[in-house]
Structures are given as C-alpha cells and as structure tokens.
Amino acid sequence: MKEIASADTRGFLMLPQGPEQVGYYTNGTPGGGAARFAHPTLLSLICRVESFWQAEDGRKLGIGHISVAGGTKMKDHRSHRGGLDVDVRPLRQDGNNLRVTRFDKLYDHDATAKLVDLFLDSGEVDVGYFNHLRIRGVKFLVGHDDHLQSLSCRYRKGAGHACDFGLDLTTGKTVPGSTC
C-alpha cells in the first residue's frame, strides 16, 4: 500500500484520519486521507466546529472531500482544489456514521441546522451549499442532497485573519473551478 504524506507541496496538512477521541469520522474516495488536505485555517475551523459540536451532541461529524495533494483536480468536483472547501455529511437520527440524504427518514434536520449554524457563526463561512433550503444560510447546488459544502468568496482585507473558502490564501487568487 502506498503511504500518503501528511503534508503536501503547498504546506497544507492532511486532516488526521480517525484519531481516537475526536468528534468526526472521515468518508469519501479516494480513501486514506488522499482527498483531505486542508489549508491550515480550514483545519483549525474544522477542529473548532468539531469541538463545539461535541459539547452539544455526541454524534460524530462526517468529514469528506477537502483537497488532494498539490490541489490537482478531483473527479466530479469543480472546486475542492484550494484546501478551503470541505464536505460535511448531514446528521442522522440514529447516530450511525453513514451517508444520509435530506429525503431519508433518518435525516436529522434540527441537528444539521445547528451544525450549519456553527460553521456560519464562526464568521469564517459565508455560505454553504446543501439542498435543504429550510436551513439558514444554505443555497441549492445540484448534487448536494447528501452533504453540505462550505464555501465563501469574500476576502477580508485588514482583518486579523482570513479564511475565505474558494480563495487561495497563499496567493490571494480565486481557486480554479471555484463558484465565486
């Protein structure tokens, strides 16, 4: 088996894959962390949201695609190249770490809405794509019935930090394939 490095040429870090005592699990292909290289700011955001979530609810968050090493294009994705997009599964009522769509009986609307609020209330996410429009701050995007994709296209100049999904913070340029 080919081992995957924990950092890529951009200095982006792989989200740890299944460490004990964390409030998330990883999903999606390619496996082994190959599609979970995150800009350090996004990695910090995921860890903060996961920590706040665990204080509220014992269910783990499903973290999927972020970016592959070096930011090369991923099959079936226009974005996910700058390490600043993250796919997060909606919550299930039964707490199982499995896929669920907004149409399934086991989909937990209220918990998913609270999770989206954590991302939006961070001040680092402006919009998320998820096709359950009764949730604050989400927009419709084809193919997003079973996961939330967090994105933001606003660059905060002069702020103490900048976490702008869809923007490459190392160059200040819009990420290729971004919807911005």
Side-chain angles (χ1 to χ4, degrees):
M1 180 173 107
K2 181 180 175 187
E3 188 166 323
I4 300 170
S6 61
D8 71 4
T9 56
R10 303 169 293 181
F12 290 8
L13 305 171
M14 183 196 305
L15 180 73
Q17 305 299 294
E20 292 184 37
Q21 308 301 320
V22 297
Y24 67 85
Y25 65 96
T26 57
N27 61 275
T29 58
R36 280 179 279 287
F37 282 89
H39 185 282
T41 306
L42 175 61
L43 193 59
S44 293
L45 174 62
I46 291 169
C47 291
R48 281 196 321 274
V49 167
E50 175 263 338
S51 177
F52 286 127
W53 180 256
Q54 286 303 293
E56 295 263 329
D57 192 304
R59 290 175 282 183
K60 291 188 176 202
L61 307 179
I63 305 295
H65 296 120
I66 298 173
S67 172
V68 295
T72 57
K73 188 174 181 178
M74 291 176 21
K75 182 182 177 184
D76 300 326
H77 286 80
R78 283 186 7 184
S79 61
H80 290 282
R81 294 186 67 185
L84 293 165
D85 301 274
V86 60
D87 288 346
V88 181
R89 282 184 169 169
L91 279 297
R92 296 172 57 98
Q93 293 175 9
D94 62 7
N96 287 329
N97 299 341
L98 301 169
R99 179 182 178 270
V100 66
T101 75
R102 66 187 178 102
F103 302 110
D104 294 334
K105 288 181 181 179
L106 290 174
Y107 164 64
D108 189 333
H109 168 268
D110 293 341
T112 301
K114 286 180 184 178
L115 176 60
V116 170
D117 283 344
L118 285 175
F119 276 96
L120 293 173
D121 292 347
S122 73
E124 299 180 25
V125 176
D126 290 328
V127 67
Y129 293 101
F130 180 53
N131 295 342
H132 196 165
L133 301 182
R134 289 189 1 229
I135 293 180
R136 173 182 79 99
V138 299
K139 293 184 179 181
F140 181 89
L141 186 63
V142 172
H144 288 74
D145 290 319
D146 65 348
H147 69 280
L148 164 76
Q149 180 178 341
S150 296
L151 289 173
S152 167
C153 301
R154 190 169 26 156
Y155 182 70
R156 296 179 192 92
K157 293 182 181 175
H161 69 285
C163 176
D164 302 283
F165 297 6
L167 186 72
D168 184 338
L169 296 180
T170 59
T171 65
K173 296 180 181 175
T174 309
V175 175
S178 160
T179 56
C180 304

